[in-house]
Amino acid sequence: MATLKKIPELTHLEKIFWPEEKYTKGDVIAYYNEMYKHIGKYLKDRAESLLRSPDGIKGESFFHKDAGGDAPEWVTTYESWSESTNKNVNYIVCNDKSTLLYMANLGCIEINPWNSRIKYPDEPDYLIIDIDPSKKSSFEQVIETAQAVKQVLDKAGAESYCKTSGATGIHIYVPLGAKYNYEHAKNFAHLIATKTHELLPDITSLERSLAKRGADKIYLDFLQNRKGQTVCSVYSLRPKPGAPVSTPLEWQEVKSGVHPTDFNIKNTLKRLEKKGDLFAGVLGKGIDLRKCLKNIEA
């Protein structure tokens, strides 16, 4: 069982973060205190892009990436050059429960780790296909799209794992084992997205701009596979109504009837303890990318 490296100062635990459900900041901290034994391995040695919602889901949310300089001395930090800001950014690295609770106390309902570890910052451990629906897309179409991605990946011989985004989409992960760089990951993800779009041209798009793709197309986002880009971690809470959790699914569960709101702050831990960690393979040895490319070409 994880012990606290340092007891962080926890403040305003009674503050309401979900007005309808009456969940509080203290509930967020209690959730991560219990969940750390499962989520910790997905955060260890990874820079964190802090998404802070200090006034709950109805208040302003903002990214705070350059947070290492203000952190307590016992928090691990990592400095990296950021092209977007044209300066070095001092990231927090979540290597222990104390740091996770410190982040939660800052209002981080959602946890956003890098795809790569600080020891190998240019080699991600996995690639991600983010199935991101538009306003008029149904979750049934999201499910259909996820199944199509799985079909393409199966043809490639690439193992894959999926989770609810905790909002309206699904995230599909392919383990890489830090054997390839971000450019390799992005290019393979682009190929998978392209092949998926060929299967479902009427409901999917590779067009990032909502204005250009329209309100009825699902965006096959392969651009999350760049250094410093993040999506919410597996087992992360989301600042959405109902306090949903980004939860792994067995592929047989990716079918009509399932919905992201089925998994939330109240039931995810029980599900995890019953089914085990369905996402563990994401941190495995990884696919043989060359072999997968040959399989697709064949």
Side-chain angles (χ1 to χ4, degrees):
M1 181 178 294
T3 56
L4 289 179
K5 178 178 179 181
K6 180 81 173 181
I7 299 176
E9 181 183 4
L10 304 177
T11 58
H12 308 297
L13 302 184
E14 72 291 344
K15 181 182 282 189
I16 298 294
F17 270 15
W18 283 268
E20 285 193 24
E21 298 84 0
K22 305 303 180 186
Y23 297 145
T24 65
K25 180 181 178 181
D27 291 324
V28 173
I29 291 171
Y31 171 82
Y32 283 122
N33 183 58
E34 289 296 314
M35 186 57 79
Y36 179 76
K37 59 190 174 187
H38 302 292
I39 196 176
K41 63 186 175 185
Y42 298 103
L43 307 180
K44 186 173 173 57
D45 296 330
R46 299 181 193 278
E48 298 287 336
S49 293
L50 304 191
L51 177 59
R52 297 177 59 182
S53 306
D55 294 314
I57 70 168
K58 298 293 186 180
E60 179 186 1
S61 292
F62 57 93
F63 272 104
H64 181 193
K65 298 182 180 182
D66 199 2
D70 297 324
E73 54 85 23
W74 44 266
V75 170
T76 302
T77 60
Y78 171 70
E79 193 168 80
S80 178
W81 179 261
S82 170
E83 292 185 3
S84 61
T85 59
N86 200 34
K87 67 173 186 176
N88 279 325
V89 173
N90 195 10
Y91 294 89
I92 285 176
V93 179
C94 189
N95 278 355
D96 47 66
K97 184 194 283 193
S98 298
T99 302
L100 181 57
L101 299 188
Y102 168 76
M103 290 163 53
N105 191 63
L106 290 177
C108 294
I109 296 173
E110 180 179 316
I111 308 300
N112 289 269
W114 278 20
N115 299 356
S116 54
R117 290 164 289 160
I118 58 176
K119 188 176 181 181
Y120 308 103
D122 298 309
E123 287 81 42
D125 288 295
Y126 40 77
L127 68 81
I128 301 170
I129 303 291
D130 181 2
I131 301 174
D132 184 11
S134 300
K135 290 182 179 180
K136 293 184 180 180
S137 304
S138 69
F139 198 70
E140 295 294 311
Q141 291 175 323
V142 171
I143 292 168
E144 182 182 3
T145 304
Q147 291 169 338
V149 173
K150 175 72 158 55
Q151 180 181 334
V152 174
L153 289 169
D154 284 350
K155 181 179 179 181
E159 61 180 311
S160 59
Y161 302 83
C162 71
K163 66 182 180 72
T164 64
S165 70
T168 57
I170 284 179
H171 298 152
I172 297 175
Y173 283 51
V174 176
L176 298 177
K179 295 184 290 187
Y180 311 99
N181 62 33
Y182 273 104
E183 193 66 19
H184 294 139
K186 179 169 67 71
N187 289 341
F188 186 55
H190 187 189
L191 178 60
I192 298 302
T194 299
K195 294 293 184 182
T196 302
H197 176 58
E198 289 172 1
L199 292 175
L200 299 173
D202 294 334
I203 66 170
T204 66
S205 173
L206 273 67
E207 178 57 63
R208 186 178 182 88
S209 168
L210 180 60
K212 291 181 179 179
R213 75 172 181 268
D216 59 347
K217 294 287 182 72
I218 291 171
Y219 176 40
L220 295 166
D221 187 356
F222 61 91
L223 294 175
Q224 299 292 359
N225 302 287
R226 296 179 293 180
K227 186 176 178 180
Q229 293 292 114
T230 61
V231 301
C232 66
S233 172
V234 65
Y235 305 123
S236 171
L237 283 164
R238 299 297 306 276
K240 305 290 183 182
V245 172
S246 184
T247 303
L249 300 176
E250 297 172 323
W251 273 112
Q252 64 190 23
E253 294 181 293
V254 184
K255 61 183 182 180
S256 179
V258 72
H259 197 272
T261 55
D262 295 339
F263 315 102
N264 55 63
I265 193 172
K266 291 298 184 182
N267 62 20
T268 301
L269 188 60
K270 289 181 181 178
R271 170 184 164 87
L272 199 162
E273 290 173 343
K274 178 181 178 181
K275 286 187 171 287
D277 184 5
L278 301 176
F279 224 55
V282 165
L283 300 180
K285 67 177 183 179
I287 62 170
D288 183 331
L289 187 52
R290 291 178 180 83
K291 194 172 183 180
C292 290
L293 289 170
K294 287 181 180 179
N295 289 340
I296 289 181
E297 289 171 359

